[in-house]
Amino acid sequence: MTIILGSINVALFVLIAVALALKHRQLGQAGFLWLIMPMALFPLIGVVVANWIEVSVDRLQTTPPNVTFPFSLVESGRMSLGRVLSLLNIVQHLVWSTLVLVGILMFRRRQDHARNA
């Protein structure tokens, strides 16, 4: 089931990237290119990270001697699994919202240049 949902996500993100690239080509706004990162590329990376998290959490259940960071913090008892997953989620949203803000600001910059010309 996760393979099917992941495949659908990848297809949708690729379509979003293509639509934003076509809009950039049509209107010449750099903001569309900047929005490709948070709207398409970053979620694609998120699918890979989600798979890594799934494998790492499954590996934690069998407690092998070599666990990767940040899951080594869970194994050593310094953080709970819920806390690690929550922090990863918060960091993901922080990066995403920062990239969206940069994309929106790039639209403003382009409009300012058009007014000055």
Side-chain angles (χ1 to χ4, degrees), residues 4-113:
I4 294 170
L5 292 175
S7 300
I8 291 170
N9 273 332
V10 168
L12 289 173
F13 295 139
V14 168
L15 289 173
I16 290 169
V18 168
L20 288 170
L22 289 175
K23 276 296 186 188
H24 166 69
R25 195 170 196 200
Q26 180 183 28
L27 301 174
Q29 292 275 351
F32 287 113
L33 292 179
W34 277 95
L35 286 176
I36 287 175
M37 284 188 286
M39 302 304 276
L41 296 179
F42 192 68
L44 283 174
I45 293 168
V47 170
V48 173
V49 170
N51 186 41
W52 171 72
I53 289 172
E54 179 183 354
V55 168
S56 297
V57 169
D58 289 345
R59 201 177 295 155
L60 270 177
Q61 290 175 338
T62 60
T63 61
N66 189 6
V67 179
T68 59
F69 181 82
F71 297 102
S72 59
L73 297 173
V74 175
E75 186 182 41
S76 67
R78 290 188 229 160
M79 292 182 87
S80 69
L81 181 59
R83 181 105 170 154
V84 169
L85 295 177
S86 178
L87 286 173
L88 289 172
N89 189 26
I90 290 169
V91 168
Q92 177 185 357
H93 286 284
L94 180 66
V95 171
W96 184 86
S97 58
T98 302
L99 290 172
V100 169
L101 180 63
V102 168
I104 290 170
L105 292 175
M106 290 305 292
F107 282 114
R108 173 112 177 148
R109 175 180 272 172
R110 174 76 176 159
Q111 290 173 354
D112 287 344
H113 288 307

